[in-house]
Amino acid sequence: MRLSACLVALSLLPVPVLANDTTAQLGAGGLVFVNNQTIEMASEHLFVSPSQIKVVYEFNNTSGQDQHLLVAFPMPDVEGGPDMMTDVPSGREEGQDPSNLFGFETTFDGEPVDAELYQYAFQNNVDYSAELQALGIPLAPFGDETQDALNALPEEDLAQLAHLGLVDRMEYDAGEGPEVDHTPAWTLRSTYTWEATFPPGMSEVVHTYTPSVGGTVATTFMPDDNYPENEARFGEYQKRYCVDDDLVATLEKVAIPSEGWTNYPYVENWISYIWSTGNNWAGPIGKFTLTVDKEDPKALVSFCGENVKKIGPTTFEMTATDWYPPYDQELEILLLRPVDWYDQ
């Protein structure tokens, strides 16, 4: 039976819901071995917070021989378009590879791994990476560098990119006459790979990266007599985040009635982790530990898990043995952060 982990000591911001104040999150997942069924995942410790995801794996090579494997780490797709409202981490360190959007790092038995990044630009399931690179266009479908490179292209090249569906032509007048922008509309697909030799017995792999954290400037899922459509959204949150009666009661205690709606002194954030890739191993995960850190003691958090316990002012933990990640639901975390104008 799944239980809700509701951090009743936390907080997030509220406000009436506006679609253009909402940012979507991207879900990244774990390592994938290519064509191998002799490696067991003896243990996995997954740590998730708004500022970092860290995964510590203990792998057991049961074959009695060295296993030289190609290891892959697929990153989430990043979609472009005029309405792109997806969170892509931007707090990378000075001098870091700008193509490493999530600040991905990994170690093997304590030694840093030099992973190779493969990136592709797709539209309509066609790879147009070479076409964009030939024109000097960065493959990331966002940011000033990509936008400036597109706007600097000759009209003939822009027309061809528009024909392929790679850019959206946007005409507007900001008060200084007609202007045109060409917005990237392709999808960026990225995967890290590296070769690793797993000797017989145990090996440790650790990887860290900055998560994509979506959100909106309100608490959007609470039932409201003035908005019957919220019932469907509430049902969705119950299924996706295991929102329960305790969390609802906590929010109702601090509800702020307003003309036409009810506000709550929290804003929503969302974090996704694709853990179904853990089903790729030879058998179940021997020991699985999930630690969720809300970081702010006043925040509220809810997610689906089994036997979740609070282990610190901001941390919650789930443990399981011989565990298979569910095929039908990834790890989805709802974080409610308190607004700065409300004194609890």
Side-chain angles (χ1 to χ4, degrees), residues 132-177:
L132 291 173
Q133 290 170 330
L135 295 171
I137 307 299
L139 296 186
F142 58 87
D144 292 341
E145 185 180 0
T146 301
Q147 189 65 67
D148 291 345
L150 284 174
N151 288 339
L153 288 177
E155 188 61 38
E156 181 180 355
D157 290 334
L158 289 169
Q160 177 61 14
L161 293 178
H163 174 71
L164 297 174
L166 295 172
V167 298
D168 287 323
R169 180 183 174 90
M170 302 182 67
E171 300 183 14
Y172 60 95
D173 188 336
E176 298 181 0

Side-chain angles (χ1 to χ4, degrees), residues 41 278 323 335:
M41 190 186 293
W323 186 73
L335 181 63

Side-chain angles (χ1 to χ4, degrees), residues 28-30 41 43-49 52-57 73 207-209 271-277 285 287-293 303 316-319 323 325 330-333:
M41 190 186 293
S43 69
E44 175 184 355
H45 185 178
L46 170 61
F47 172 88
V48 181
S49 75
Q52 184 190 62
I53 289 180
K54 180 178 182 179
V55 193
V56 180
Y57 302 98
F73 182 84
H207 68 250
T208 62
Y209 59 93
I271 305 173
S272 298
Y273 182 85
I274 301 172
W275 59 11
S276 58
T277 52
I285 300 171
K287 180 180 179 180
F288 177 75
T289 303
L290 167 66
T291 301
V292 174
D293 187 348
F303 60 93
F316 297 78
E317 183 178 87
M318 164 191 157
T319 59
W323 186 73
E330 307 298 353
L331 175 61
E332 303 283 357
I333 297 172

Side-chain angles (χ1 to χ4, degrees), residues 237-254:
Y237 274 54
Q238 286 180 305
K239 180 179 179 181
R240 179 182 293 250
Y241 304 111
C242 287
V243 167
D244 63 8
D245 293 343
D246 289 341
L247 179 59
V248 171
T250 298
L251 290 171
E252 287 178 340
K253 288 179 181 178
V254 295

